[in-house]
């Protein structure tokens, strides 16, 4: 399970933001991963965390790439409860290939849908900025389709088809919007990180129950915490891109396998 909220615009105020994004990565606590960094050796224009699961190294759930005046943000969320293909390849390269490559999000989506059957179910959210425009595209293989989303609105995505949002996504959008509107610039990151720690259960949820009947109630909060099962929200990310095209990438990620233990804080400040 993962969750994503953001708002994007091409007309921010001089002290405002083109992008405000907040996301939780939910995964088994013991799955190896690298914290957010600049991918200096492989793709020096890309920033994000990386999966280090044997056989899945180099994939990612959320990353940003910027070169030649184009900035791309890709976020991957699985779709819980869909039939699994035992021969499917890992989904991690979906974001990696998008943010490191030269294809626009629309062209990349077309390519992805042509081979959608090789992956288990996914939601890919791609946000793209150039010098004067921006686009938001959602691509999925359950069912296989792509849909554009408008700028200047709060959007939220979880682990269900976007047309059937989980309750925590619907209510999370409202809370995210409140934070964006009410938090001052100096405490915006702190308020968004606190929002990502929200463990209020939006329960009952018929769609979540249908998709994950065994763990549905435990999965019904923005921040998932399942220490007995060794699973939950193990990485929190906030990305800001300001009107001058300067990025701040903030990440808090678990160091070990105890959600109440040590967390590593990362901040990447970069002119795009």
């Amino acid at each position: 399970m993962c969750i994503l909220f953001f708002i994007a615009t091409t007309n921010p105020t001089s002290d405002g933001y083109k992008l405000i994004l907040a996301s939780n990565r939910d995964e088994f606590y013991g799955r190896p991963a690298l914290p957010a960094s600049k991918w200096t050796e492989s793709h020096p224009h890309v920033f994000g965390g990386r999966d280090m699961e044997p056989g899945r190294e180099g994939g990612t759930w959320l990353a940003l790439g910027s070169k030649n005046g184009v900035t791309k943000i890709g976020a991957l969320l699985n779709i819980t409860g869909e039939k699994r293909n035992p021969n499917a390849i890992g989904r991690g390269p979906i974001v990696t290939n998008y943010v490191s490559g030269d294809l626009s999000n629309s062209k990349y989506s077309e390519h992805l849908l042509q081979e959608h059957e090789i992956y288990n179910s996914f939601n890919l959210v791609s946000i793209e900025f150039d010098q004067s425009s921006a686009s938001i595209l959602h691509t999925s293989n359950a069912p296989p389709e792509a849909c554009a989303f408008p700028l200047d609105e709060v959007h939220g995505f979880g682990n269900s088809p976007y047309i059937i949002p989980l309750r925590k996504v619907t209510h999370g959008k409202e809370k995210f919007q409140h934070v964006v509107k009410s938090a001052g610039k100096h405490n915006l990151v702190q308020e968004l990180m606190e929002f990502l720690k929200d463990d209020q259960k939006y329960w009952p949820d018929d769609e979540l129950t249908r998709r994950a009947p065994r763990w549905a109630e435990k999965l019904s909060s923005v921040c998932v915490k399942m220490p007995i099962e060794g699973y939950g929200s193990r990485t929190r990310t906030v990305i800001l891109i300001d009107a001058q095209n300067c990025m701040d990438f903030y990440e808090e990620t678990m160091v070990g396998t105890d959600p109440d233990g040590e967390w590593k804080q990362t901040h990447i400040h970069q002119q795009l």
Side-chain angles (χ1 to χ4, degrees):
M1 305 292 282
C2 295
I3 202 163
L4 170 74
F5 304 96
F6 66 90
I7 183 169
T9 183
T10 54
N11 296 299
T13 60
S14 59
D15 62 345
Y17 296 101
K18 291 182 177 180
L19 177 72
I20 302 174
L21 180 150
S23 177
N24 272 342
R25 181 200 183 200
D26 299 346
E27 184 52 86
F28 287 102
Y29 297 145
R31 183 164 177 165
L34 294 176
S37 67
K38 183 177 183 178
W39 296 6
T40 304
E41 294 183 1
S42 57
H43 304 292
H45 62 287
V46 175
F47 306 84
R50 280 173 285 183
D51 190 2
M52 295 303 291
E53 179 81 4
R56 305 294 174 93
E57 298 94 340
T60 187
W61 56 96
L62 173 64
L64 179 149
S66 183
K67 68 175 182 177
N68 300 327
V70 177
T71 297
K72 301 176 177 181
I73 301 93
L76 185 73
L77 308 94
N78 69 5
I79 302 180
T80 303
E82 297 291 319
K83 184 178 179 180
R84 295 184 63 83
N85 174 6
N87 299 314
I89 67 172
R91 290 166 287 197
I94 290 176
V95 170
T96 299
N97 293 340
Y98 167 60
V99 297
S100 65
D102 296 324
L103 293 180
S104 66
N105 58 356
S106 59
K107 291 294 184 182
Y108 186 77
S109 178
E110 291 176 11
H111 171 76
L112 194 58
L113 290 175
Q114 289 173 0
E115 55 179 23
H116 69 87
E117 294 179 348
I118 68 176
Y119 303 103
N120 280 318
S121 58
F122 65 83
N123 287 319
L124 170 66
V125 179
S126 54
I127 310 165
E128 193 160 307
F129 295 93
D130 61 22
Q131 299 295 337
S132 59
S133 63
S135 63
I136 302 167
L137 196 63
H138 169 266
T139 308
S140 179
N141 62 349
E145 62 180 10
C147 180
F149 280 73
L151 300 171
D152 304 306
E153 294 182 16
V154 168
H155 300 294
F157 296 88
N159 299 106
S160 65
Y162 78 90
I163 60 173
I164 316 174
L166 303 180
R167 288 192 64 209
K168 67 179 183 178
V169 173
T170 301
H171 288 276
K173 283 173 60 178
E174 296 175 358
K175 287 193 173 183
F176 175 84
Q177 186 165 25
H178 175 74
V179 171
V180 169
K181 287 185 175 182
S182 63
K185 188 167 185 177
H186 296 295
N187 63 348
L188 177 60
V189 174
Q190 180 182 350
E191 292 293 322
L192 288 172
M193 285 295 184
E194 288 301 315
F195 159 69
L196 291 173
K197 298 176 187 178
D198 182 11
D199 60 1
Q200 177 181 346
K201 289 181 170 58
Y202 296 101
W203 187 255
D205 185 329
D206 292 341
E207 180 67 10
L208 186 52
T209 299
R210 185 177 73 82
R211 292 187 170 274
R214 187 177 181 185
W215 306 116
E217 186 173 359
K218 293 183 177 182
L219 296 170
S220 64
S221 52
V222 169
C223 179
V224 174
K225 195 173 182 180
M226 299 168 58
I228 295 175
E229 295 81 4
Y231 182 89
S233 301
R234 53 171 288 178
T235 303
R236 299 185 282 265
T237 304
V238 171
I239 299 175
L240 306 176
I241 301 177
D242 69 15
Q244 289 72 45
N245 220 33
C246 189
M247 175 198 74
D248 284 287
F249 192 125
Y250 298 88
E251 180 186 270
E252 296 180 355
T253 191
M254 287 173 55
V255 173
T257 57
D258 179 5
D260 294 322
E262 183 183 358
W263 287 67
K264 175 181 174 61
Q265 297 183 347
T266 300
H267 176 207
I268 304 170
H269 180 75
Q270 179 74 33
Q271 182 66 49
L272 302 176

